[in-house]
Amino acid sequence: MAIKIVNNMGVISIDNNIIQNLAAITALECYGIAGLAVKDSGKIRILEKDELQKAISLKFSDKSINIDIHLVVKYGASIQSVGDNVIEEIKTKVGEYTGIKVAEVGVFIEGVAME
């Protein structure tokens, strides 16, 4: 599925994978993030670069998007501060780069990395 943005010059189509990759890269650049994660057979697994989309889900409404992201934070980092930073950065960068309003970012901390 793709998002279509209609303007006076035509139509812009942005694939969901682009938005997921943008959100993933943005989160990984934030302080305190060890990686993006999923649960496999009840265990938390940090994802490799080629599978980051698995940790991100998108929900669309008429003129905005909601993004949910599953993360592992580094030991010693303030979970509240890391979460707040990830939310703000994803809202800003996805909004700037795509022109789509990000209504909400849900951050799900799946674990703490001891490394």
Side-chain angles (χ1 to χ4, degrees):
M1 183 176 185
I3 295 174
K4 295 189 187 295
I5 302 168
V6 181
N7 62 27
N8 61 347
M9 295 187 287
V11 177
I12 300 168
S13 180
I14 303 172
D15 191 76
N16 288 359
N17 288 337
I18 300 299
I19 297 169
Q20 289 172 315
N21 284 336
L22 180 56
I25 291 166
T26 299
L28 289 172
E29 290 175 346
C30 291
Y31 171 79
I33 299 297
L36 277 62
V38 293
K39 285 186 182 179
D40 275 346
S41 303
K43 293 183 180 181
I44 303 302
R45 180 172 66 89
I46 294 179
L47 298 170
E48 300 292 327
K49 289 182 182 179
D50 62 338
E51 56 183 356
L52 295 176
Q53 296 95 350
K54 293 178 182 180
I56 300 170
S57 61
L58 307 174
K59 296 176 194 133
F60 302 97
S61 65
D62 278 345
K63 298 182 182 185
S64 66
I65 185 171
N66 292 346
I67 301 171
D68 288 340
I69 186 164
H70 298 262
L71 305 168
V72 173
V73 297
K74 292 179 181 175
Y75 177 79
S78 166
I79 294 173
Q80 179 71 43
S81 295
V82 169
D84 288 343
N85 188 37
V86 168
I87 290 168
E88 203 56 41
E89 288 295 314
I90 288 176
K91 277 187 170 187
T92 300
K93 287 191 179 174
V94 171
E96 281 178 11
Y97 295 162
T98 65
I100 301 165
K101 180 181 187 274
V102 179
E104 185 177 297
V105 177
V107 175
F108 298 88
I109 306 300
E110 299 294 347
V112 176
M114 300 302 281
E115 304 169 331

